Amino acid sequence: MSSSPRNISVTLLGKEYVVACPPEAEGELLKAAAYLDKKMQEIRAGGRIFGAEKVAVMAALNITYELQSKQTEERQATNIRLDQLSQLIEQTLPANDHP
């Protein structure tokens, strides 16, 4: 059972935000916030996008693209592995010649 949420402070582009988070998820939240801050810093350093809101939206789009690309790669790898296993099963099992 999860514990009551605690308030956790995270910093994004130098601004502090307080987020409610269950204690067991605190480490992952801090890791996610650090990743988001890094992406936002990179976008801001690029100098082409101004304003924290626009930087946040671009970071969200970039991270979503990364996630979707990774999911597509994992699906493709899973399908390849399933095809390989299916071929192995077909090669291993005797052919069933009965109608």
Side-chain angles (χ1 to χ4, degrees):
M1 178 163 42
S2 67
S3 306
S4 297
R6 300 177 350 158
N7 288 333
I8 303 300
S9 177
V10 298
T11 303
L12 302 170
L13 286 183
K15 185 172 180 182
E16 186 174 323
Y17 296 88
V18 177
V19 182
C21 176
E24 62 272 11
E26 183 176 338
E28 290 299 315
L29 173 67
L30 292 174
K31 200 161 94 175
Y35 185 74
L36 176 57
D37 185 53
K38 176 183 165 220
K39 290 296 184 181
M40 291 175 73
Q41 296 284 354
E42 289 171 1
I43 290 167
R44 185 171 68 177
R48 295 190 339 230
I49 298 174
F50 300 100
E53 184 177 318
K54 288 182 180 180
V55 169
V57 168
M58 288 308 299
L61 285 171
N62 288 340
I63 292 169
T64 301
Y65 176 79
E66 289 173 8
L67 175 64
Q68 289 178 333
S69 294
K70 184 164 182 68
Q71 288 174 337
T72 298
E73 289 172 11
E74 289 174 355
R75 272 193 302 275
Q76 289 171 344
T78 298
N79 287 339
I80 289 169
R81 184 66 181 140
L82 288 173
D83 287 344
Q84 291 170 340
L85 291 171
S86 178
Q87 289 174 5
L88 182 60
I89 289 169
E90 287 177 16
Q91 292 169 1
T92 305
L93 293 177
N96 186 359
D97 295 331
H98 300 288

